[in-house]
């Protein structure tokens, strides 16, 4: 019988409690060492390195420099391969995601009259080129394609390109191509892992250099982003999946167990915890897990069992829901599901979570696949300082200022005094009688 981790929060020392919040990518030392040669190879050899690495790491033996970029024929084939029901589901989800993200789009510019005749504001422009990373190592993820593509298209980024690993057949997952085309992205490269980050950062003979890369990935991808942060903007930290199911005594533990497995099945490097103050929920959850596993594919069972019996998952029994909420804030999860018939009672106590899904009818599945809010979320406590992927991640903001002749004297006087105090003579000269002489002509 599988022995799922069960921890009593009150019995844990500070060090043990802290250990529960550790993520699989917290220690990247080994990955950083192994990733650097991949980055060096791509920078020095370009397409040749990408082809070699695709053949070695992705087993795509038919990959060539000429096939690194998805062709129009491949897009057409994908639409034939994907059945109507799946295409309809993709369109439905994209409609929701687009509707949500359109509300995030700011006005191109705003100005406020700060003082009579003096105006200041912001101007918003899309980033020129953004790479979107869509993982494939543990499955195919058209949902990630939708979540990364739609806000970029809404933001008006002129050069969007998806990077995703090829399968052994040298092709990209058909549903991913369909989702990309429907979302409005037509450039897709068959490149994954650390080499994808390097290709986006430096560019190659086939691949256009990007200014930013967004999207979740393995520790290899996270390591490459960290190493190349000075070359390409790595965006929000998005590593292996993680979730907390916060359940009170108004729900059945079997339901909590059902939702606990959602993120746990992503991979053995995922993190997934059920946190509750109810011993009954704990017992019912443990009893229900075997039934749930019996209805999952073997690969996903292996992944989720590894998580729930390892260091990054299981069940935590708190003394109260207040203690449970405090642990959630300490953990700062990527996904938080408040499983309760009265979820809004706890929402005010939650301050550190990238996504909060409320109630018994809002499982992480619905959030991941098309409720509307973005499911590309910060991991590894990134929720402390980052929010979900949004239109703002694809936009750059510039300040705008305009001072009229009427407002200038007072503004110049203030600048003169402060510049004098700070010892910047050119600052002072620029608002002195020297300027007045040129303005008077």
């Amino acid at each position: 019988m599988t022995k799922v981790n069960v921890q009593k929060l009150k019995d844990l020392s500070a060090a043990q409690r802290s250990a529960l919040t550790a993520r699989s990518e917290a220690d990247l030392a080994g990955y950083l060492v192994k990733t650097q040669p991949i980055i060096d190879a791509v920078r020095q050899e370009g397409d040749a390195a990408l082809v070699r690495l695709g053949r070695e790491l992705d087993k795509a033996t038919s990959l060539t420099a000429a096939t690194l970029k998805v062709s129009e024929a491949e897009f057409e084939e994908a639409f034939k391969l994907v059945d109507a029901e799946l295409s309809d589901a993709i369109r439905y989800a994209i409609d929701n995601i687009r509707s949500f993200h359109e509300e995030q789009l700011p006005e191109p510019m705003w100005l406020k009259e700060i003082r009579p005749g003096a105006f200041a504001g912001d101007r918003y422009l899309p980033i020129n080129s953004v790479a979107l990373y869509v993982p494939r190592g543990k499955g195919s993820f058209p949902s990630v394609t939708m979540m990364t593509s739609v806000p970029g298209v809404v933001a008006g980024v002129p050069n969007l390109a998806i990077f995703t690993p090829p399968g052994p057949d040298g092709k990209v997952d058909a549903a991913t191509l369909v989702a990309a085309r429907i979302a409005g992205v037509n450039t897709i490269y068959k490149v994954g892992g650390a080499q994808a980050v390097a290709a986006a950062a430096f560019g190659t003979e086939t691949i256009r250099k990007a200014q930013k890369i967004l999207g979740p990935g393995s520790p290899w991808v996270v390591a490459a982003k960290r190493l190349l942060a000075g070359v390409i903007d790595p965006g929000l930290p998005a590593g292996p999946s993680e979730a907390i199911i916060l359940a009170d005594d108004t729900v059945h533990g079997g339901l909590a167990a059902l939702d606990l497995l959602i993120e746990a099945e992503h991979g053995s490097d995922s993190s997934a915890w059920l946190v509750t103050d109810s011993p009954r929920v704990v017992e019912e959850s443990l009893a229900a897990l075997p039934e749930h596993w019996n209805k999952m594919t073997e690969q996903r069972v292996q992944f989720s069992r590894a998580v729930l019996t390892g260091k990054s998952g299981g069940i935590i029994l708190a003394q109260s829901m207040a203690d449970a909420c405090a642990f959630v804030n300490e953990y700062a999860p990527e996904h938080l599901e408040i499983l309760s018939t009265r979820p809004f009672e706890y929402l005010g106590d939650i301050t550190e979570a990238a996504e909060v899904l409320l109630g018994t009818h809002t499982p992480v599945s619905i959030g991941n696949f098309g409720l509307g809010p973005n499911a590309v979320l910060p991991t590894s406590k990134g929720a402390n300082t980052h929010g979900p992927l949004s239109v703002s991640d694809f936009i750059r903001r510039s300040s705008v200022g305009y001072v009229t002749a009427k407002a200038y004297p007072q503004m110049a006087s203030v600048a003169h005094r402060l510049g004098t105090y700070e010892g910047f003579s050119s600052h002072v000269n620029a608002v002195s009688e020297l300027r007045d002489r040129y303005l008077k002509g």
Side-chain angles (χ1 to χ4, degrees):
M1 182 177 176
T2 302
K3 188 171 178 58
V4 173
N5 289 325
V6 178
Q7 308 274 359
K8 290 186 178 180
L9 207 54
K10 69 180 181 65
D11 295 338
L12 300 178
S13 67
Q16 290 171 322
R17 185 172 174 134
S18 178
L20 294 183
T21 69
R23 311 313 206 263
S24 61
E25 77 266 33
D27 183 7
L28 288 173
Y31 290 100
L32 293 170
V33 171
K34 295 175 182 178
T35 297
Q36 188 62 57
I38 295 174
I39 291 172
D40 293 340
V42 174
R43 182 176 64 245
Q44 295 164 11
E45 302 172 46
D47 284 354
L50 297 180
V51 171
R52 185 178 69 255
L53 292 165
R55 291 177 175 179
E56 292 175 0
L57 303 178
D58 300 311
K59 311 304 179 187
T61 56
S62 63
L63 190 67
T64 66
T67 60
L68 280 173
K69 183 178 179 180
V70 171
S71 67
E72 183 59 31
E74 289 174 288
F75 274 108
E76 293 174 0
E77 180 187 16
F79 275 87
K80 295 175 183 176
L81 292 173
V82 174
D83 64 56
E85 288 188 357
L86 180 54
S87 291
D88 288 345
I90 290 171
R91 291 182 188 277
Y92 176 91
I94 286 176
D95 284 347
N96 291 350
I97 297 164
R98 181 177 290 113
S99 178
F100 177 87
H101 286 84
E102 284 175 344
E103 294 300 315
Q104 298 177 336
L105 193 63
E107 292 295 322
M109 188 173 76
W110 63 269
L111 285 173
K112 178 180 180 180
E113 192 168 18
I114 304 297
R115 296 278 180 171
F119 301 84
D122 285 327
R123 182 188 184 200
Y124 297 91
L125 292 167
I127 296 170
N128 185 58
S129 58
V130 179
L132 309 174
Y133 189 79
V134 177
R136 191 179 181 181
K138 300 184 182 97
S140 298
F141 304 105
S143 59
V144 177
T145 301
M146 297 185 289
M147 292 293 179
T148 54
S149 297
V150 171
V153 172
V154 170
V157 175
N159 297 292
L160 285 169
I162 292 171
F163 290 70
T164 190
D169 60 358
K171 296 182 179 181
V172 171
D173 166 62
T176 294
L177 295 183
V178 169
R181 176 58 60 86
I182 294 173
V185 177
N186 297 305
T187 300
I188 300 184
Y189 298 115
K190 304 171 188 176
V191 185
Q195 60 268 34
V197 182
F202 299 116
T204 70
E205 299 91 330
T206 297
I207 294 171
R208 180 190 181 113
K209 173 181 168 66
Q211 296 168 317
K212 189 171 189 177
I213 184 166
L214 296 166
S218 69
W220 294 95
V221 172
V222 176
K225 286 182 178 181
R226 187 171 298 182
L227 289 169
L228 290 168
V231 182
I232 186 170
D233 184 340
L236 61 87
S241 300
E242 55 185 62
I244 285 183
I245 308 301
L246 178 65
D248 67 9
D249 63 359
T250 67
V251 299
H252 193 285
L255 183 61
L258 190 68
D259 291 355
L260 177 63
L261 293 170
I262 296 172
E263 292 302 295
E265 74 169 347
H266 270 280
S268 57
D269 56 358
S270 297
S271 303
W273 295 98
L274 165 59
V275 182
T276 181
D277 68 341
S278 170
R280 174 188 58 78
V281 169
V282 173
E283 294 305 316
E284 290 175 350
S285 297
L286 290 171
L289 280 169
E291 177 187 353
H292 298 332
W293 273 322
N294 284 336
K295 297 180 180 178
M296 294 166 57
T297 62
E298 184 56 35
Q299 182 190 46
R300 301 302 169 180
V301 170
Q302 290 177 3
F303 286 156
S304 57
R305 276 183 173 156
V307 171
L308 298 184
T309 60
K311 297 179 179 180
S312 299
I315 300 174
I316 296 174
L317 179 62
Q319 288 182 281
S320 66
M321 286 302 289
D323 289 338
C325 290
F327 178 77
V328 170
N329 288 332
E330 186 178 341
Y331 192 92
E334 176 192 20
H335 302 276
L336 171 65
E337 188 179 314
I338 301 182
L339 199 56
S340 169
T341 59
R342 49 177 194 269
F344 285 92
E345 286 189 13
Y346 308 113
L347 183 59
D349 293 325
I350 301 298
T351 58
E352 311 297 321
E355 172 184 71
V356 183
L357 299 172
L358 299 164
T360 56
H361 293 87
T362 322
V364 174
S365 307
I366 288 179
N368 280 348
F369 291 135
L371 176 61
N374 210 289
V376 176
L377 304 160
T379 59
S380 196
K381 293 191 178 182
N384 287 326
T385 55
H386 293 269
L389 188 70
S390 71
V391 167
S392 64
D393 289 292
F394 295 86
I395 291 176
R396 50 202 165 96
R397 180 171 58 90
S398 301
S399 295
V400 178
Y402 172 59
V403 177
T404 65
K406 176 183 177 181
Y408 172 76
Q410 185 179 47
M411 290 281 180
S413 175
V414 169
H416 193 287
R417 290 173 184 170
L418 290 172
T420 299
Y421 180 82
E422 294 190 3
F424 288 111
S425 54
S426 288
H427 283 64
V428 172
N429 288 340
V431 289
S432 70
E433 69 278 358
L434 294 175
R435 186 175 211 88
D436 295 337
R437 185 191 313 165
Y438 287 113
L439 291 174
K440 289 176 183 177

